[in-house]
Amino acid sequence: MVEIKLKKGKEKAVYQHHPWIFSGALDKVKGKPANGEVVRVIDANGEFLAYGYYNDQSRVAVRLIEWSEEATIDADWYESKIKTAIAGRANLLNENTTACRLIFSEADFLPGLIVDKYADFLSVQILSSGIEKAKEVIISALVKLLQPKGIFDRSDATARTHEGITAENGLLWGENPEEFIEVKENGIKYHINIAEGQKSGFYCDQRDNRKILASYTKNKKVLDCFSYSGGFSLNALLEGASHVTSVDSSALAIETLKQNIALNQFDASKHTAIQSDVNKQLRQFNDELQKFDVVVLDPPKYAPSRSALDRAARAYKDLNRRGLMLLESGGLLATFSCSGAVDIETFKQIIAWAALDAGKEVQIIKQFCQPEDHPIRLSFPEGEYLKGLLVRVV
Ligand code: SAH
């Protein structure tokens, strides 16, 4: 096995089980490992530290997977990691919830592997060259442990290009899913288009937050911005919202949301779907002096990295200012950020600025976070990305 020697002092993060080694920490590569090959990482004195996936095209030169020297990274190793990850979700899946994330990359010791379960199908994203190399073994383990109908690859993410692997999108194993398959989340039915939907097809990371927010929406007029297939909208309708308006720029999202309203036999007259840019729509609502009781803002990731933080902060501020303008005293704003680079304290600061600009005094009445199928490994704090605040206008 190829050995990678670290510069003196660079072993500290490895001792703490942080899974990334940046290229600047490497002293010597003893051999010529292929990208994705498992290498043995040693410290400046030659002592064993960990095993990991090597990649000379990525900023993260080694993604660590195992800290025990005796371990062998073979099919059994992968099966055991996958088994542990699946067992960790057992509490979540039942007849009312058939969708969840089974494997969450570094948090489950498989850096670059995301596996989402959508009823009998698996939607997989392979985002590191190490996982790409182990693909066959991983698929065999998933088939053995879960007996899915089909496994679909949705790896067309930009992360792959950073790893020097080309985008993939297609059937990996078993049958192709129908255009729309049906799942349930907290008793609500959803259609998911695995092949063409966003990311892996659905955002199960908002499962808990949708339910929590719904409890504030009975008899309320709700505006769900960035609605995608309607997670927040459908939960609000179930809890008795008097009317829900959903806004999303994607035609497929709006189409799927309309199907979901019908699928759950909700009263379509209580719902309005608008295909539009959210900022434009919020400006229009402001011009028309429209008001809502509850506004949800769940935008896509504005800050892909720390360097984009300033621009992202301004975008979040403007968005939230516009959202707050539509609320009167007692109104609620549920606002989210899925940018890992924006931590909760920064997010609170941004919302404080937005409130000041909107001329509103607000109180935080709840904080939102990511659910248990997106665990945060304490040795990998970068895995924490989803945060939100429920604020009330005073
Ligand atoms: N709240 C959703 C998930 C939101 S994902 C849920 O519970 O499932 C972000 C959504 O924002 C995507 O559906 C995307 O189509 C939409 N989007 C991105 N930019 C947008 C914009 N400028 N205006 C409106 N929608 C946008």
Side-chain angles (χ1 to χ4, degrees), residues 14 40 69 84 118 224 248 328 374 378:
V14 183
R40 207 181 130 87
E69 188 170 10
T84 305
Y118 296 138
D224 178 11
D248 200 287
E328 291 174 312
H374 295 63
L378 278 175

Side-chain angles (χ1 to χ4, degrees), residues 55-69:
N55 191 334
D56 66 5
Q57 296 200 27
S58 169
R59 209 166 53 95
V60 183
V62 187
R63 293 178 186 275
L64 299 177
I65 53 174
E66 177 62 65
W67 283 259
S68 158
E69 188 170 10

Side-chain angles (χ1 to χ4, degrees), residues 198 203 210 226-228 231-232 248-250 276-278 298 300:
Q198 288 178 30
Y203 294 95
R210 291 167 180 148
F226 308 95
S227 58
Y228 191 51
F232 287 98
D248 200 287
S249 55
S250 146
S276 172
D277 173 74
V278 162
D298 184 22

Side-chain angles (χ1 to χ4, degrees), residues 98-99 116-123 149-150 152 175-184 188-195 200-202 229 256 259-260 263:
T98 61
D116 289 324
K117 174 178 166 66
Y118 296 138
D120 300 327
F121 286 89
L122 300 177
S123 179
K149 274 194 185 151
F152 203 85
E175 359 173 327
N176 250 313
E178 312 244 297
E179 186 183 5
F180 289 99
I181 63 155
E182 190 180 311
V183 303
K184 266 191 184 176
I188 297 179
K189 296 174 183 165
Y190 292 84
H191 268 167
I192 297 184
N193 184 326
I194 294 186
S200 75
F202 187 61
S229 55
T256 314
Q259 289 181 19
N260 291 341
L263 200 60

